[in-house]
Amino acid sequence: MSASASADVVVYSATAGTLYGAEGHASGAELQTAYVARALAKAGFRVRHVVASAGISRTPDGVEVVLLSRHYLEGGLPRRRAIVQALRESDGSVYIQCPAGIETGFAGMFARLARRRFIFSAQSDADFMRDCELLKQLGGSQGWSARTQIRLGQRCAHAVVAQTEQQAALARDTLRLHPQVIRSFCDLGEPRPEAREAFLWVGSFAGVKDPLSFLALAERMPHVPFWMVGTERKGWQDLAAAVRERAARLSNLELLPPRPRDEVLTLYRRALAVVSTSRYEGFPNVFLEGWSRGVPVISLRVDPDGVITRHGLGAVAGGSLDVMERILRRYLEEPAAVEAAGDAGYRYVRRTHAPEVIGPQWIRLVESLLDGRE
């Protein structure tokens, strides 16, 4: 990999290549890095996005897509050398790294040693937690080496970005960091769904997502359609097998395979509501993608910064499946409640998460680092 001239901003997210034509499925963290890169490029910055694989070298918005060397895929020492090489050759004045992992430490140390500026962008509450058992449930990096690299990078950061006020408070309380809150991006879709056909769950088969609770809801409501789009997570193969076995016994539940993001977005437009059974989250992209298409969210536990309750964007069950079932039945019986919550969700995304709202916040942060105010 080689890059001519320096960049204003380098966004480093090795696994985001699926958003630039590589095979695979993008996570919420990867999607947010692409949003950041695009917003900064549109603002006139020279932006490079470093990824492990891609099908294009430049986007219509002007983001330069640069590749890690093939040695990155080998793991171990070759991977570490590839990371450092990519950071050096992408040659940015400001580096933005996400999600948390060993790259956080490399990016932070490189920026400090090279006298560049570094922003760590959190994408999960797990990024600021110390409890190893809880981190395992959350899918966070619980190995000693990875945790050390994450903490080192966070300490090296000239700015830390959190998704919610709750997440920022966690960072202050556990790690004495002082993040700036910049909420997640979301493009607005068509505000009116095509049809209200089923309750939709989208996520990974990992403990923190608690997919078995969604199956329990489907078992309680055998005449109501449920759709589940799940991806397997390393280390949770037994849970994925349990989900598949239990789902096979439910005639009212369709277990749908992973699919390109565009196809997932079409499912939102046919959903009665997005259902979340997660134990913890940051600010879920599935919430935003539902709201941006006029679909409410029904959450078993999670309500980031209390926005669902405060703005009437759906309902929160307080951890109770009995309450959750009553909410779902109410939505079936009261279409007006579904429409009202969906409309509120659309308005919320438009005023709080749309690119024209979030982009300027990232632009101001990068400008402050470039001119030395941070």
Side-chain angles (χ1 to χ4, degrees):
M1 181 198 74
S2 63
S4 61
S6 60
D8 298 306
V9 181
V10 171
V11 180
Y12 182 102
S13 181
T15 53
T18 55
L19 296 163
Y20 299 113
E23 294 183 0
H25 303 279
S27 71
E30 294 154 355
L31 179 61
Q32 290 300 316
T33 63
Y35 271 122
V36 171
R38 182 173 66 184
L40 295 173
K42 284 185 172 181
F45 295 104
R46 184 167 191 177
V47 179
R48 294 186 177 127
H49 200 161
V50 177
V51 298
S53 59
I56 60 174
S57 59
R58 187 182 183 90
T59 72
D61 302 310
V63 177
E64 300 172 35
V65 183
V66 294
L67 299 180
L68 288 148
S69 80
R70 58 182 177 81
H71 299 296
Y72 178 83
L73 301 177
E74 298 175 17
L77 183 59
R79 169 168 291 186
R80 287 157 172 76
R81 287 175 175 167
I83 293 168
V84 174
Q85 178 186 356
L87 292 167
R88 183 178 65 251
E89 293 185 358
S90 56
D91 191 19
S93 296
V94 175
Y95 287 80
I96 301 170
Q97 189 274 327
C98 170
I102 64 166
E103 283 98 335
T104 307
F106 280 96
M109 283 297 295
F110 173 83
R112 287 288 181 174
L113 292 172
R115 299 189 177 184
R116 314 294 173 89
R117 299 289 182 160
F118 174 54
I119 302 170
F120 169 70
S121 180
Q123 290 298 315
S124 168
D125 290 358
D127 294 349
F128 302 123
M129 289 180 173
R130 293 183 180 276
D131 188 314
C132 294
E133 287 304 312
L134 182 55
L135 279 170
K136 183 178 180 180
Q137 288 294 313
L138 293 172
S141 298
Q142 64 273 170
W144 177 86
S145 177
R147 293 200 314 273
T148 300
Q149 292 282 2
I150 292 168
R151 301 297 175 241
L152 175 63
Q154 290 170 337
R155 293 296 177 191
C156 286
H158 298 86
V160 174
V161 172
Q163 299 167 295
T164 66
E165 296 292 347
Q166 293 170 344
Q167 201 173 79
L170 177 64
R172 290 192 297 270
D173 293 344
T174 61
L175 301 175
R176 297 184 181 179
L177 298 172
H178 299 281
Q180 174 176 336
V181 175
I182 301 180
R183 299 193 182 278
S184 298
F185 284 89
C186 186
D187 286 317
L188 289 168
E190 291 293 330
R192 295 290 177 184
E194 296 173 356
R196 305 282 192 183
E197 298 180 38
F199 291 110
L200 173 65
W201 187 98
V202 180
S204 61
F205 296 145
V208 68
K209 302 294 185 180
D210 190 15
L212 295 179
S213 284
F214 185 71
L215 298 182
L217 288 167
E219 289 169 345
R220 288 166 174 240
M221 305 170 70
H223 303 296
V224 176
F226 287 77
W227 295 339
M228 188 175 211
V229 181
T231 55
E232 292 202 20
R233 177 82 68 83
K234 184 179 179 181
W236 292 99
Q237 291 86 350
D238 290 346
L239 177 59
V243 168
R244 288 192 294 270
E245 180 182 356
R246 193 163 165 183
R249 300 195 296 267
L250 297 172
S251 61
N252 63 323
L253 182 137
E254 285 189 67
L255 183 56
L256 303 170
R259 57 200 54 217
R261 183 166 177 266
D262 287 348
E263 294 183 19
V264 175
L265 294 179
T266 64
L267 290 177
Y268 288 110
R269 290 180 51 75
R270 297 164 55 201
L272 278 157
V274 171
V275 176
S276 168
T277 52
S278 293
R279 303 179 189 281
Y280 295 91
E281 286 283 357
F283 204 116
N285 279 273
V286 295
F287 287 16
L288 294 171
E289 289 171 344
W291 290 329
S292 69
R293 285 156 181 81
V295 179
V297 168
I298 302 173
S299 177
L300 181 59
R301 304 176 180 92
V302 172
D303 187 1
D305 281 351
V307 299
I308 299 175
T309 303
R310 190 164 68 251
H311 299 295
L313 314 181
V316 183
S320 168
L321 284 177
D322 290 336
V323 173
M324 191 84 153
E325 181 184 352
R326 288 198 294 271
I327 294 169
L328 266 60
R329 291 191 184 279
R330 174 174 172 252
Y331 271 37
L332 288 168
E333 296 165 0
E334 300 180 24
V338 178
E339 297 302 326
D343 289 344
Y346 185 84
R347 294 193 301 272
Y348 168 75
V349 171
R350 183 175 59 194
R351 69 175 179 267
T352 311
H353 294 273
E356 59 267 27
V357 176
I358 302 302
Q361 297 176 43
W362 275 100
I363 291 165
R364 287 193 293 272
L365 176 56
V366 168
E367 287 177 339
S368 71
L369 292 174
L370 287 171
D371 67 19
R373 281 178 286 161
E374 292 289 343

